[in-house]
Amino acid sequence: MNTHRDEHSCKIAMRLSKLLDVDEAPWRVTFLETRRLYHLRSKMVPAGCIIKDQWNVGADKRTSNQLVEAADLRTINASRKPMQRGKILEADTWTDIELA
């Protein structure tokens, strides 16, 4: 069961990272922060509260609030991407983005 959960969060984090970031350094931060936020959400559901407030993002630490704030901005930017491209990405396009 952990494999599927981790696989899902990895796919979401990778697609968001590759959609928003071109350079490797910001791509890695986006990827790691998105996975941590997904993990935070997964921990909150059964407990009904935030389990911890410090999350490792590579060599750095983030608070839960910092992860949520970063996710808010990324959601806005991801929503704008189709407008900038002039079209919504089709299913096959995601493979190209993931392999880039």
Side-chain angles (χ1 to χ4, degrees), residues 29 32-33 36 54-63 66:
V29 170
L32 292 171
E33 285 184 351
R36 293 304 172 265
Q54 290 291 316
W55 299 86
N56 293 329
V57 177
D60 298 325
K61 298 240 186 238
R62 301 283 192 279
T63 66
Q66 287 173 318

Side-chain angles (χ1 to χ4, degrees), residues 6-24:
D6 291 345
E7 182 179 317
H8 189 65
S9 67
C10 185
K11 181 170 61 174
I12 290 168
M14 181 175 295
R15 287 182 175 182
L16 181 63
S17 300
K18 295 280 187 135
L19 178 67
L20 296 180
D21 301 314
V22 177
D23 296 327
E24 185 177 346

Side-chain angles (χ1 to χ4, degrees), residues 57-88:
V57 177
D60 298 325
K61 298 240 186 238
R62 301 283 192 279
T63 66
S64 299
N65 189 58
Q66 287 173 318
L67 292 175
V68 171
E69 291 290 328
D72 285 348
L73 292 174
R74 288 187 183 110
T75 300
I76 292 167
N77 290 335
S79 298
R80 289 180 178 162
K81 278 292 181 177
M83 290 181 257
Q84 292 169 347
R85 292 174 187 239
K87 65 178 182 173
I88 295 174

Side-chain angles (χ1 to χ4, degrees), residues 35 70 73 82 89 100:
R35 289 206 62 192
L73 292 174
L89 295 175

